[in-house]
Amino acid sequence: MDIHRTLVIIFFGIVLSVNAVDYGSMESKQVVRVGVILDSASPLGKMANSCISMALSDFYSINANYRTRLALSVKDSVKDVVKAASAALELMNKEQVQAIIGPQTSTEADFVIDLGDRAQIPIISFSATSPSLSPTHNPFFIRTAQDDSSKVTALTSIVEAYGWKKVVLICEDSEYGTGLIPYFTDAFQEINVRVSYRSIISPNSNQFEILKQLNMIMARQTRILLVHVSALLGSKLFSLAKQIGMMSEGYAWITTKGLSISLLDPMGEKVIDSMHGVVDVRPYLPNSKRLQDFKTRWHKINSGRNIDLDMFGLWAYDTVWALAMAAELVDQQLNPNALSHNISTNITSTSTSTELFDLEVSEWGPELLQMLLRANIEGLSGEFRLMGGQLQARDFEIINLRRKLGERVIGHWTHLNQSLEIDRKAIIWPGHTKVPPKGWVNPVFGKRLRIGVPVASSGFKEFLDIEWDPHTGEPSFSGFTYDIFVAALDKLPFALPHKLIPYVNRSKQSNGTYDDLLCQIKLKKLDAVIGGITIVANRTKYVDFTLPYKQSGVSMVVKVKKDEMDNMWVILKPLGWDLWLAIGVAFVFTGIAVWFLEHHTNEKEEFKSPPGQKLPGTILWFSISILVFANSEKLENKWSRFVLVIWVFMVLILTQSYTASLTSMLTVPKYRPAVADINELRRNDYFVGFQKNSYVNNLLTEQLKYPESRLRSYTSLEEYDDAMSKGSKNGGIDAIFDEIPFVQLFLAKYGSSKYKVVGPTYKSAGFGYAFPIGSPLVSYISKAILNVTQDPNKMEVLEIKYFEQGTKCEDSFSADDDPSLSVYNFSGLFIIIAIASIFAYLTHLIKPHCSWSATNAIHPDSSLSLWSRVTKREKPCHMDHNNLHAKAEVSVNTNEGDHLQNPPTAFSQEIVDINQVDEEDEIHNIDSGLYIYGCA
């Protein structure tokens, strides 16, 4: 012990001698006193002290012209919180320091921070990384390092990358260790990973206490261990873990930067050898020439001192540079005389113990704090910039610890993109293997997994069948569900010893419902359950399910009845009532369109009569005659012919469709459901059947609110068929509610001509296997099930083996299905005929309107209504022979009154034409009162 104290005194003497170097007439410089609190016996304390001394020497050798000089006063905390606090009080009261670098640990810093707040002196720590020490809540605390919470995401990303679902958290019982637990818990919760166990170990624990914790961890299932302890405790932990076989294949150890090799080196090769295969995370250190030169000088100075350099030493170096620069900036702003009094004066009087807590408030501390917070320099560790009172977050390196090769970088985590890049092939895991641990093992060695198997109903052996050996009484299993499970086990990356246990009573009959069987997992009597277990919400409260290996849902099956077509109105059934109505409207519409188009040009009596006389009869007869192609009227207007072509096309399609539909109805029997939906079942108080012990009972009573007194359970397809054949009135049922796979079997056996699926399908997640909540086997079995079900060849073999042909359930039959054609089926045709008729009529109407406009220009007094122009027939330009000369004379006199030299050519030509027509006998009966002058 005396030798140790002597070495410490000599060490501090060397440090003080270095600090006493004259940097160029110290008397002319403003001396800024700075305290340093370290554990000088620890590897970290030795390394930090050396880096601080080198930083002070390097800074003032480069900046010799600065007016200020840092004068360091180093105190030893001796790994004790009280000693660290006492050293801080001494530095503040007796030596009147303006800042304190340290203390070294988070626990020590927690005490000193309060003193710094009272004295308004910055407490600057490069190694107190616990996130519970928040610069936000402690304004005079500055952390020139990254806090531990900044690397949580990088650590959890490794767990997520390998798909591990459970981890064990090992933390030191100190401010450093426990402060990170809430951050880990929240981060793992976000990626759906459970912290199955927390092992809190005191830093002062002996070997027996540490072994007790390790044995508790080894007895559990989880093999992914996340360690956050100090270097001293970590060296003990890993040495003991290797002794009891926990550094072997199957384990994954992930540590934080508190366990770097640089800190473990002084503890011997045995400690490093015990950590072979450990994955570590540390801040990324950008390489530079300045850093390489510093490392070279470092090794020369500390070649015989058995200490190594790491990130903490570089942060200590950069801290001194930032503090020295801040002191120079403060000196430029404050009064030099005031500085001389507050900084340089040494107090030699001794204070009493009660006066030690009567701290004097520093006048220079707040200014120094502000300058430090603004620091932005390029240090050995990279960019030195404080955000929120601590070093800003950086990228991380993923390190793999090797027995001989030391630390090897095998990946990176980028802070900006929150992304992980890792070379999985380069990682050597414990046990000297490159195979990643699966993260889980059976905690009780030699014991097989207890898997419960339900006893299937006698009529559904295709899914799961249990046969008992008559001699040994041992069960044998077969069926679709069992084969899927066996195939999934073959896909697992590890062997899974298991024992299938039928859920039966003494008489080898079912011992309860499926829910009762699943409760055995919750009671820890079974480790898993396989079979046709439907995944429903209320069951997930006490078990976890794998992904479904077969889709499911509940459907309703009813009897079918044949449509009777031997009635007097069967001829109306091919077309729906809406289609009959639409055809009638189309008849009338088309007839009106053709009549208007032919009214102006066609000489036949049907088209030249006034609208009120023969229009209805003409329209109806014309449209109906076209329907049977009996129309003999000659159409003279080209637009009416265009409409007729479209109408004939439509009539042809309608007649052919009617014929085909009627033929189908009279020749092919139609089967319709006897019950439309569950509402009809309720109205008629019908009985409903379901499979015994299935969850369908709860579905009917709780979700569908069907009376439980009207439910009957069955155990086979034959019982289903017999009960449905009898009906509710004869002691049977009128509907079956069961899951789709069983409905498929039922319909495949008895055919769709006898039974139909009606109504909606009540969805469920499907059939799956059940495990305890949080079991890591769920993810492995689920992946294996996907590999099996996505193999088409494998599934085809199983389907043919157990279900043969015709197991696909037919499309659901709805009571609303109607074989009659509706107006929607021919809506396109109706739209076409309507557009064609309107287009033709409007085109025909616009052309005569132009002629009437020209006539009105010649005869302004002629004013006929639009309806008159449309309906009034334009007669040929004929005139009664007896009145010819009189009218001509009147016209000539009129022209003479207007001083016209020559009669209009059109008028003269008209007289000639009229004389020619007058020779024919049939013109004498023409009504001259309908004559219109100027007709062409």
Side-chain angles (χ1 to χ4, degrees), residues 442 446-453 468 473-475 477 482 485 489 496-503 525-530 771:
N442 196 348
K447 186 176 180 180
R448 294 179 292 178
L449 208 66
R450 299 166 299 175
I451 301 177
V453 181
W468 303 88
E474 291 296 322
F477 305 90
Y482 176 76
F485 180 70
L489 292 183
L496 186 66
H498 64 278
K499 180 181 180 181
L500 298 180
I501 304 174
Y503 189 57
K525 295 182 179 180
L526 293 175
D527 300 313
V529 170
I530 67 170
F771 290 86

Side-chain angles (χ1 to χ4, degrees), residues 596-597 600-601 637 639 839-848:
F596 273 112
L597 292 171
H600 299 292
T601 57
N637 191 292
W639 291 111
F839 174 76
Y841 179 69
L842 292 178
T843 305
H844 176 75
L845 186 63
I846 292 172
K847 185 175 180 181

Side-chain angles (χ1 to χ4, degrees), residues 99-111:
I100 293 179
I101 299 177
Q104 184 173 310
T105 66
S106 299
T107 305
E108 296 169 353
D110 192 23
F111 281 81

Side-chain angles (χ1 to χ4, degrees), residues 47 109 112 139 214 315 549 553 712 738 822 837 868 873 884 904 916 928 931:
M47 174 186 60
V112 176
L214 291 176
W315 281 336
Y549 61 86
R712 291 173 176 171
D738 209 340
S822 66
S837 300
S868 300
R873 181 171 176 266
L884 175 62
Q916 293 174 355
S928 61
Y931 179 78

Side-chain angles (χ1 to χ4, degrees), residues 41 132 140 249 294 296 401 405 493 617 627 646 653 703 711 727 804 826 837 926:
S132 62
F140 281 86
E249 185 176 354
F294 177 79
T296 302
L401 304 184
L405 301 177
L627 183 64
I646 302 298
I653 293 178
Q703 184 175 339
L711 300 179
E804 296 181 355
F826 297 94
S837 300
I926 296 177

